Amino acid sequence: MTEMRESATSYEPVEGDSILVSSQDAELVTSTLKDELGILVGRSEPDSRLGLTLLEFVPAAQLGDRDLGRASEKAPEVFVLGGPGELVLDAVLGRLREIFRARNAAWIPTMGKNRTLTQSIEGGVIIREDEYPPGLAGEPTTTLAAFAPGDHPVRVGLLDTPFVTHPWLSDRTRVIGANRLDPGTPNWRTGHSTFLAGLIAHQAPNAEIVVFPALNPLGRGSAWDVARRIADIAERNAKAAPNERIDVLNISSGTFTYDGQAPLALAAAVALLGPEVVVVAAAGNHGRDPRRLRAGVRYQWGRRPIFPAASAPVVAVGSADERGDRSTFSPEAPWVDVTTQGEKLISTYLPGEVAGFEKASAGRDARYLGDPPTGTVREFDGFAQWSGTSFATARVSGAIAAAVDRDTGVSARQAWSAIRAGLGSDRYLPLPLLS
């Protein structure tokens, strides 16, 4: 039996019913799962661009007594924790690696977890109860400059939630891919991409913002789905004329890994983009996490790397307050490349009723719950105030896009290099605000 460490899934968000493997080894892994562990693959989804295949397991609840009994006999440790028939992903991968290593002189195929990405990772894996929803805000006194893209517009890709358009953004945004919004009153997380787009547009008024919905309306998605959307962008860029390509890609979401290494699918996808596209990603909102031990070993939870932000050559963005000091929720970590104000920002948001708010309770910060916090639905006028590294990220994406000049040959990579060279030791980038 595999010697199990404390479950890694206690510390990282994963899709528990699937794994990712190198496509050339998918058949081998599928047969080994069946023959050695009794686990059946119900769906196999290859992506030739990533060189990976998603193997989705048949749910234990759908296995007959004979198949489930055979699996439990072959590998009982993969069916513990959480109830009868629930797979333990670490045990599955651990057993597979043991089997391949023993049979093949230590060689094992490339395999990994299909992790969950979310726009709001904080102190734990995914902490819903500690999220800070947007607050109410009136229309800013400053407006966006007129959209004048010229003959060679710069393009910022926005990989986020489905997009709800806004009068300030309608002439400078477009959506590529399925834009699946939930019917009825939207949840407050659905306005994430609209808020980000307004911040990007304020910094780069002449940039076209191309929204690629990759998360669901509640701000969640799997690493596989997000990686495939990134691969779509890379494929689109490869086929497009130079002035039709995405220059900057904003990713205001992320995921943790137990070993602190980039997830398999995201690493492969970012590599596909090549050096021409500058990926700008949020550093996460987990800087306040006070824990200092993991499985009895010294470990600083508030500095955990979040991906894709912590991967080179991605630009990792942290948040600062109005004085330029690092926000307490923003990780203090060496992989954070730049900070800019991410607190109390005003931007475009959903109009009308928005749902999903909690009533105020003792010990909660009522400022973030709305004013007054009287229920679960609030009325917005198309603008909101919000805080987080997600929003600092959008501002940096816009700043990089604004410095791109196709006519003089200044690329997004060169623009970021110039910005980085001008940063001080605190890595703070002052940028104008909507107010």
Side-chain angles (χ1 to χ4, degrees):
M1 181 179 291
T2 305
E3 182 180 349
M4 289 295 295
R5 66 186 177 189
E6 188 169 356
S7 175
T9 51
S10 302
Y11 307 109
E12 58 185 355
V14 297
E15 301 293 311
D17 59 353
S18 59
I19 60 173
L20 302 176
V21 302
S22 55
S23 291
Q24 64 263 39
D25 299 316
E27 187 175 341
L28 173 64
V29 174
T30 298
S31 62
T32 305
L33 281 166
K34 179 182 177 182
D35 297 340
E36 300 296 333
L37 303 183
I39 297 172
L40 303 181
V41 173
R43 184 170 69 97
S44 176
E45 183 179 51
D47 190 301
S48 59
R49 302 165 303 180
L50 298 171
L52 298 171
T53 295
L54 175 76
L55 299 182
E56 190 172 276
F57 308 138
V58 174
Q62 295 179 17
L63 294 175
D65 291 341
R66 179 176 152 185
D67 288 331
L68 185 57
R70 184 183 300 117
S72 298
E73 289 176 7
K74 287 177 176 288
E77 72 273 22
V78 307
F79 287 99
V80 298
L81 298 180
E86 183 174 330
L87 284 173
V88 181
L89 207 55
D90 292 304
V92 172
L93 287 168
R95 280 297 305 274
L96 283 173
R97 290 179 177 124
E98 277 186 356
I99 292 166
F100 286 120
R101 189 179 291 115
R103 288 180 177 175
N104 302 290
W107 175 87
I108 58 173
T110 299
M111 300 179 292
K113 300 170 185 174
N114 183 23
R115 291 173 171 86
T116 304
L117 269 77
T118 176
Q119 60 184 229
S120 50
I121 292 182
E122 299 198 2
V125 174
I126 302 175
I127 297 185
R128 289 294 185 202
E129 66 271 16
D130 286 338
E131 289 179 326
Y132 287 151
L136 302 174
E139 182 170 347
T141 54
T142 53
T143 59
L144 300 182
F147 182 50
D151 296 331
H152 307 293
V154 176
R155 289 179 175 83
V156 179
L158 178 54
L159 202 70
D160 208 78
T161 56
F163 185 69
V164 178
T165 192
H166 188 281
W168 280 25
L169 303 172
S170 57
D171 62 342
R172 64 187 84 211
T173 54
R174 60 182 166 125
V175 179
I176 294 181
N179 196 46
R180 297 188 179 95
L181 293 162
D182 289 338
T185 304
N187 183 278
W188 57 265
R189 300 176 185 91
T190 305
H192 199 253
S193 58
T194 303
F195 197 92
L196 294 171
L199 296 171
I200 294 169
H202 182 236
Q203 300 301 323
N206 295 328
E208 182 184 30
I209 301 168
V210 185
V211 183
F212 297 89
L215 308 178
N216 66 21
L218 297 182
R220 293 182 58 149
S222 73
W224 181 245
D225 291 336
V226 170
R228 296 189 79 187
R229 293 301 278 144
I230 296 173
D232 289 342
I233 296 169
E235 188 173 38
R236 179 183 179 279
N237 269 11
K239 296 176 179 177
N243 65 346
E244 288 289 329
R245 295 171 185 161
I246 299 297
D247 300 282
V248 179
L249 179 59
N250 188 102
I251 305 179
S252 289
S253 58
T255 190
F256 297 120
T257 61
Y258 188 90
D259 60 7
Q261 301 301 306
L264 189 62
L266 291 181
V270 170
L272 281 177
L273 292 170
E276 303 84 17
V277 180
V278 176
V279 180
V280 187
N285 300 327
H286 55 288
R288 290 194 187 107
D289 196 322
R291 291 174 289 177
R292 293 292 181 268
L293 291 176
R294 187 179 74 174
V297 178
R298 179 178 169 81
Y299 183 81
Q300 292 183 301
W301 288 77
R303 292 190 173 189
R304 279 184 295 172
I306 192 171
F307 297 98
S311 299
V314 176
V315 179
V317 183
S319 171
D321 61 19
E322 300 109 311
R323 299 180 301 276
D325 297 327
R326 180 182 61 86
S327 300
T328 57
F329 57 77
S330 187
E332 184 180 10
W335 48 266
V336 177
D337 298 297
V338 59
T339 67
T340 194
Q341 185 172 335
E343 293 189 32
K344 302 179 184 178
L345 300 177
I346 294 175
S347 185
T348 49
Y349 191 63
L350 308 175
E353 289 190 340
V354 179
F357 293 90
E358 300 174 20
K359 293 182 179 180
S361 59
R364 297 294 298 273
D365 188 343
R367 176 184 53 145
Y368 290 103
L369 292 172
D371 184 21
T374 56
T376 60
V377 175
R378 303 224 170 89
E379 185 87 19
F380 284 81
D381 294 326
F383 298 91
Q385 183 184 87
W386 219 340
S387 299
T389 61
S390 283
F391 314 121
T393 300
R395 302 182 72 222
V396 171
S397 291
I400 294 171
V404 174
D405 191 330
R406 294 195 192 281
D407 294 328
T408 61
V410 178
S411 68
R413 185 64 58 187
Q414 291 170 323
W416 161 240
S417 295
I419 290 172
R420 182 177 56 190
L423 298 175
S425 59
D426 60 357
R427 304 180 189 175
Y428 175 72
L429 178 64
L431 293 171
L433 297 168
L434 277 172
S435 60

